[in-house]
Amino acid sequence: MVSSKIPKVLSIAGSDPSGGAGIQGDIKTIFAESCYGMAAITGMTAQNTLGVKAVIAVPDDFLRMQLDAVICDIIPDAVKIGMISEPSHVKIIVDMIDKYKLRNVITDPVIAPTSGVRFAHDEVLVNMIDYLFPASTLVTPNIPEAQTIVRAILDKRSRAAGEPVSAHKGELPASELTPSEMAELIGCHCDCSVLVKGGHSADGEATDCMWHKGELSIFRGRRIAAMSSHGTGCALSSSIASNLAKGESLAAAVQIAKAHVTAAIAGNMSIGSGNGSIDHEAILQQQRIQQDTINILERKPEERQK
Ligand SMILES: Nc1ncnc2c1ncn2[C@@H]1O[C@H](COP(=O)(O)OP(=O)(O)OP(=O)(O)O)[C@@H](O)[C@H]1O
Ligand SMILES: Cc1ncc(CO)c(N)n1
């Protein structure tokens, strides 16, 4: 048997039956990035383009069995972690990262959708901050998620110092910390790299800020006025994981992923009656153009005309 060299990417996430986000969106993205996609399901949602109606988690033992079954047979080159709705699932996933020494772990901390039922409650968030983020290569919150994470970290520090926990639970006013400051605060607290995504920013841009090894990088992007942006975060984290699996550096993987997701948003597919899925096919096209360009550049000059 010949072992395939194709980069392998495992998504540990929830199911989105409408196909734009969750494991369905991840698998489409990983395929479009020319990688081999695998999925272990943490739970199921009942959702569509209008919102999330219900969330149900798989039993602990079954999550453990899925992960053991797939990883002991096919070691992933990168892992994307999405929806986690049970605190115990965080520890199971972290145990697996340790047990199999998993590399290139991208955690997208999906906490609440724009509309509908929450994915993760406070205890899940606390476990992610304490155990999962420190075990991750990169954590990719959007702005409201970063605000919730910062609030939880500051509350924990207040409690540890014996000070009263701030009166307002939930999200900080957006004006209190910039995305760069939030990336640095979370990164320093959890000893991991953090990309705060700008899809929800109030300005006219879609700029993402990354804290990595003590330095800030800015990934600028123009905001596209698209009707369909369901699954942007899932696609970005899966695309970063795929590009790390292909051997790119973290900064290059984020840069490529952002360009691919921008193309997928610009695809402006009209699916469903609400906020429809991005166009994963556009990622495939971008990826092919990029590969063709690399192939041409790698040819000897005299062969390039052919
Ligand atoms: N309208 C837009 N135009 C251009 N880029 C966008 C737009 N919306 C989001 N992005 C980009 O898409 C990526 C995902 O960011 P976003 O903040 O939307 O994540 P998210 O809220 O986690 O996504 P999801 O909708 O899957 O929950 C980021 O790189 C962000 O800059
Ligand atoms: C299952 C699932 N994961 C993540 C998201 C975030 O887009 C979603 N809508 N559904």
Side-chain angles (χ1 to χ4, degrees), residues 39-56:
I41 303 181
T42 56
M44 284 159 291
T45 67
Q47 67 174 296
N48 56 23
T49 61
L50 298 168
V52 179
K53 290 163 185 40
V55 177
I56 183 169

Side-chain angles (χ1 to χ4, degrees), residues 241-263:
S242 301
N243 283 289
L244 287 178
K246 288 190 249 182
E248 298 289 352
S249 68
L250 185 59
V254 172
Q255 189 80 57
I256 296 167
K258 181 146 179 66
H260 287 184
V261 172
T262 304

Side-chain angles (χ1 to χ4, degrees), residues 31-34 243 246 256 260 282-292:
F31 174 77
E33 293 286 1
S34 306
N243 283 289
K246 288 190 249 182
I256 296 167
H260 287 184
I283 300 180
L284 188 61
Q285 283 165 10
Q286 288 278 312
Q287 151 73 18
R288 285 198 177 132
I289 294 167
Q290 235 165 6
Q291 198 51 54
D292 286 350

Side-chain angles (χ1 to χ4, degrees), residues 14-16 21-22 45 47 52 83 110 119 230-231 234:
S15 160
D16 168 10
T45 67
Q47 67 174 296
V52 179
M83 184 189 90
V110 285
F119 295 119
H230 179 66
C234 296

